[in-house]
Amino acid sequence: MELTSSPASARLGPAVLRFLAVVALLTIAVVVATSSQLLPIISWYASAPRRAAAGGGARCVMFNFGDSNSDTGGLVAGAGFRLHRPFGRRFFGRPSGRFSDGRLYIDFLCERLGLDHLSPYLESSGLSFSHGANFAVAGAATAQTVDSGQFSLPTQLRQFRHFKAHTAELLPLGLGSGITEDEFRQAVYSFDIGQNDISLAFTANLTQKRILLTVVPAIAARIRNAVKVT
């Protein structure tokens, strides 16, 4: 959504404006905290057309962690959650598990890299994980709390470790995703999470100052640690 000086944006309440400001600051903090780890993603993205023109090269594999901003069906599959129109109507023609009427940023990134859209890890049938998996689940936060649900970032990281270990067990048998250890090392890892931590902080009546001083740095630290262990 583009915010301008229109009457509609002028009616945005102070709480909404504060929330948008904090989200912007969170984005900056996360980019700064993970800047060195973002370089492989930028490199893969920028060189995708050249690799395609040259006939491929190393296979690109991607893993995504996050919340509803990049959930491609995790909550629908994991909790039996139902989505109805208008979700999905602009691109898929039906609800696709995404909390959007079309594609998400992770879908555009996959398309740019020449990949199929990422399959949600929690979906049990009819999907392929040969080029990666999406662990994002709507409502997830970076911290595991009673209010953040069952699929927070720590849970998603445990699911990733299980996926990686099980893939290694199945690989000699010619089963599973077929992703090799080297492909895990060279994979693109995407993180888009933190907005629900901020939402929970506002719900708990934390002041904007306290959120900026404590919550945002904690979110950035958790994402930075997650980048290190993937």
Side-chain angles (χ1 to χ4, degrees):
M1 179 178 67
E2 180 181 356
L3 296 179
T4 67
S5 57
S6 65
S9 62
R11 290 195 295 269
L12 288 173
V16 175
L17 293 174
R18 286 197 302 271
F19 176 77
L20 293 174
V22 172
V23 170
L25 288 171
L26 169 63
T27 302
I28 295 172
V30 170
V31 169
V32 171
T34 62
S35 58
S36 63
Q37 287 85 5
L38 289 175
L39 291 177
I41 298 178
I42 297 172
S43 176
W44 262 110
Y45 189 91
S47 62
R50 294 195 301 273
R51 292 198 312 276
R59 179 174 67 157
C60 182
V61 175
M62 176 182 290
F63 298 99
N64 181 67
F65 307 82
D67 50 34
S68 59
N69 285 344
S70 57
D71 181 356
T72 54
L75 185 63
V76 169
F81 191 85
R82 293 288 301 276
L83 292 179
H84 304 279
R85 289 177 67 89
F87 290 113
R89 66 186 177 90
R90 287 188 177 275
F91 183 79
F92 300 97
R94 56 178 176 77
S96 64
R98 294 160 175 78
F99 288 78
S100 169
D101 62 356
R103 289 166 289 181
L104 305 174
Y105 93 90
I106 193 67
D107 297 316
F108 290 105
L109 188 55
C110 286
E111 291 171 9
R112 176 67 175 177
L113 294 174
L115 304 175
D116 293 333
H117 293 161
L118 282 183
S119 300
Y121 171 76
L122 294 172
E123 182 57 72
S124 60
S125 60
L127 299 176
S128 169
F129 297 98
S130 61
H131 60 278
N134 189 3
F135 299 89
V137 176
T142 64
Q144 181 73 64
T145 68
V146 174
D147 297 322
S148 64
Q150 299 300 314
F151 301 108
S152 63
L153 184 56
T155 298
Q156 294 178 28
L157 292 173
R158 289 193 296 270
Q159 291 172 334
F160 168 74
R161 288 192 288 269
H162 171 77
F163 178 87
K164 184 177 181 181
H166 197 45
T167 296
E169 294 173 354
L170 295 176
L171 190 62
L173 304 176
L175 302 174
S177 67
I179 300 174
T180 65
E181 180 64 29
D182 185 62
E183 287 172 333
F184 273 105
R185 284 195 300 269
Q186 300 298 324
V188 174
Y189 292 87
S190 171
F191 295 81
D192 184 355
I193 193 168
Q195 62 178 348
N196 292 311
D197 298 82
I198 295 176
S199 179
L200 290 171
F202 276 120
T203 302
N205 293 322
L206 271 64
T207 64
Q208 180 181 357
K209 181 178 180 180
R210 184 176 177 186
I211 291 174
L212 290 173
L213 291 177
T214 62
V215 177
V216 171
I219 293 171
R222 295 186 194 109
I223 295 176
R224 184 170 58 248
N225 291 334
V227 171
K228 291 178 180 178
V229 301
T230 51

